[in-house]
Amino acid sequence: MQEFNLPTITLQNALPCVIRDLILGHAPMLWGAPGIGKSSMFQQIADNAIYYTKGSEIKLTYYSNSKLALS
């Protein structure tokens, strides 16, 4: 089995990276213990983002002045 040496960061620090990856069209993955808020973070991002379509692509625009906060 291949092992990966991935850095450990907090969800608060992961937030801008996840938003950047979504805007760039990448599929971010968060890996961590159950119950730490991974799904909640994505739900909050989705609640504060605007999705629109252009042809067959889905675009995401994120407004950084929205009230997104991780508890």
Side-chain angles (χ1 to χ4, degrees):
M1 175 182 251
Q2 184 177 4
E3 291 186 30
F4 297 95
N5 187 18
L6 301 174
T8 301
I9 61 174
T10 65
L11 283 180
Q12 192 68 39
N13 290 339
L15 181 61
C17 300
V18 169
I19 292 169
R20 180 203 60 218
D21 285 352
L22 289 170
I23 290 172
L24 292 174
H26 301 155
M29 180 193 162
L30 296 180
W31 186 12
I36 63 169
K38 298 178 301 288
S39 296
S40 296
M41 183 176 77
F42 280 101
Q43 183 62 55
Q44 288 183 46
I45 291 170
D47 291 344
N48 287 282
I50 295 175
Y51 298 88
Y52 62 96
T53 59
K54 183 177 183 182
S56 61
E57 297 179 359
I58 296 176
K59 301 289 184 181
L60 174 115
T61 302
Y62 182 79
Y63 291 98
S64 60
N65 60 350
S66 62
K67 296 179 181 175
L68 180 67
L70 297 173
S71 51

